[in-house]
């Protein structure tokens, strides 16, 4: 039975963190159509980004070496689209769809695959033990479900996992730019009031003769 996660994936999680990897996954370009090996790879706009994701973090699912690399790319593009559905305000039917997708991830994928849930008798509970990167992504979504957000900078709208509940923007540059815009807008909206204050003589100031 498979006992340990892929070494590349384990190192990537330690270096980059689960939240960043998840954000990079769901922010991959949306790929329309059904991925298959018949269509030339050059015709898939998201191909390069998916390849870069795999090169940095490793494949989402362990695959036999005999399979074509396109299979790993298909995994990344497919699950990026599926997991994106967990973001935003979800209707009851959308929540159910997310539940079904996550259940599918946690299912056993063959006789050599170990279960996702393992018993910890000493602590009296069952604990999730991820088998691969896709398990890690799914568990992160569940554990951080209240922190899934989209950047509120209109031109960005990047999917991200908030570090703090009050976070609105995916990065410091986005936050600083939006604060600068709001300050400029406030000045514009209150221009007459600001100018009136500037023209008003200050108390105690002596007039020149």
């Amino acid at each position: 039975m498979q006992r340990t996660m892929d070494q590349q994936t384990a190192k990537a999680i330690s270096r980059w963190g689960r939240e960043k990897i998840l954000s990079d996954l769901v922010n991959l370009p949306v790929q329309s159509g059904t991925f298959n090996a018949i269509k030339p790879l050059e015709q898939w706009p998201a191909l390069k980004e998916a390849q870069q994701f795999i090169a940095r973090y490793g494949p989402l699912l362990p695959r036999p070496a005999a399979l074509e690399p396109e299979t790993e790319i298909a995994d990344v593009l497919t699950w990026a689209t599926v997991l994106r559905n967990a973001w935003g305000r979800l209707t009851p039917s959308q929540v159910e769809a997310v539940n079904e997708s996550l259940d599918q991830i946690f299912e056993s994928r063959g006789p050599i695959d170990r279960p996702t849930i393992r018993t910890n008798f000493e602590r009296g509970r069952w604990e999730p033990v991820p088998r691969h990167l896709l398990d890690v992504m799914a568990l992160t979504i569940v554990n951080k479900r209240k922190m899934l957000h989209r950047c509120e900078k209109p031109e960005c709208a990047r999917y991200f996992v908030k570090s703090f509940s009050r976070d609105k923007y995916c990065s410091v540059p986005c936050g600083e730019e939006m604060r600068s815009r709001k300050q400029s807008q406030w000045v514009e909206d209150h221009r007459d009031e600001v100018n009136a204050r500037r023209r008003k003589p200050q108390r105690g100031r002596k007039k020149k003769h």
Side-chain angles (χ1 to χ4, degrees), residues 1-3 61-64 103-116 131-132 135:
M1 295 174 66
Q2 181 183 330
R3 291 291 180 182
L61 290 165
R63 297 292 189 181
D103 286 345
Q104 182 181 350
I105 292 174
F106 296 135
E107 291 176 354
S108 176
R109 296 176 180 274
I112 64 171
D113 205 3
R114 63 173 171 79
T116 312
R131 303 158 295 183
H132 39 63
D135 275 355

Side-chain angles (χ1 to χ4, degrees), residues 123-182:
R123 296 187 177 183
R125 65 189 186 190
W126 287 267
E127 300 174 341
V129 181
R131 303 158 295 183
H132 39 63
L133 185 54
L134 184 57
D135 275 355
V136 175
M137 298 294 92
L139 290 169
T140 303
I141 280 184
V142 173
N143 293 331
K144 298 288 185 176
R145 61 192 180 283
K146 295 183 179 180
M147 305 294 274
L148 305 179
H149 197 64
R150 294 193 71 177
C151 184
E152 295 183 24
K153 179 183 174 184
E155 301 89 341
C156 181
R158 179 179 172 83
Y159 298 89
F160 73 104
V161 181
K162 295 192 289 186
S163 298
F164 303 97
S165 59
R166 294 184 179 181
D167 288 347
K168 296 181 178 180
Y169 308 105
C170 68
S171 64
V172 172
C174 280
E176 290 179 344
E177 182 171 343
M178 289 304 296
R179 280 190 289 272
S180 177
R181 290 184 189 181
K182 290 179 179 179

Side-chain angles (χ1 to χ4, degrees), residues 36 44 176 183-184:
N36 59 70
W44 295 89
E176 290 179 344
Q183 290 172 354
S184 298

